[in-house]
Amino acid sequence: MIGEVRALIIFPIIPYGILAVFYMLWISAALHLFSSGRVVQNNCNSNCCTYDLLEKRVICDQCCGYSIRYTPHIGVAILFHLFGCYWATQFFIACSSTVIAGSVASYYWAHGEASVSQNTMFINEMKIMQFRVKVLCY
């Protein structure tokens, strides 16, 4: 099988490369979303203490800190962004699995009568784009 369709050895690297580029873009968009809230100073009247690592003691003055307040639209955008990452990851994995399955199936159904084309991986990618994209999206 591997001797007939040598691209099966190299092909799994391609989807992982696409996913790596996708994750870089996704992380940059996620950082933008997570930092797009409004920075608000916390209530300084509260009674709280912190441990200072440099001075190695507990300090109970200057307990003010900052937090980020998100609008409801940003919260929904963050959830949509997380779902989009999950969906796109599963779509890329499904496409690569289908290409590999199509290549193995074309070799299997040839029964050794005729040599399998070296373009089998490319042919299966084109078949996916023409006929099976809708199925892979769900």
Side-chain angles (χ1 to χ4, degrees):
M1 172 68 197
I2 299 297
E4 295 289 327
V5 185
R6 291 184 185 99
L8 279 174
I9 296 173
I10 300 170
F11 180 75
I13 296 171
I14 296 169
Y16 290 117
I18 292 171
L19 279 174
V21 171
F22 171 74
Y23 286 145
M24 284 186 249
L25 294 172
W26 185 85
I27 287 172
S28 66
L31 289 174
H32 176 72
L33 276 176
F34 284 122
S35 65
S36 61
R38 195 174 47 134
V39 178
V40 178
Q41 187 174 10
N42 293 337
N43 186 7
C44 294
N45 297 330
S46 64
N47 188 12
C48 66
C49 299
T50 59
Y51 182 76
D52 190 1
L53 293 174
L54 296 176
E55 296 182 18
K56 297 183 181 179
R57 65 184 185 100
V58 177
I59 300 173
C60 290
D61 48 320
Q62 291 187 352
C63 194
C64 293
Y66 294 92
S67 61
I68 297 176
R69 303 272 190 244
Y70 296 113
T71 62
H73 300 299
I74 294 175
V76 171
I78 289 171
L79 289 176
F80 184 76
H81 192 67
L82 291 173
F83 173 74
C85 176
Y86 174 74
W87 184 86
T89 300
Q90 296 306 312
F91 178 74
F92 288 135
I93 292 172
C95 284
S96 65
S97 298
T98 306
V99 168
I100 292 171
S103 298
V104 171
S106 64
Y107 172 79
Y108 177 77
W109 291 108
H111 294 295
E113 297 169 0
S115 178
V116 178
S117 171
Q118 291 299 321
N119 297 330
T120 304
M121 302 296 280
F122 180 71
I123 291 168
N124 283 310
E125 288 175 9
M126 291 299 116
K127 285 181 184 177
I128 285 175
M129 293 303 148
Q130 288 177 348
F131 305 114
R132 296 181 180 97
V133 171
K134 292 180 184 176
V135 174
L136 295 176
C137 287
Y138 297 109

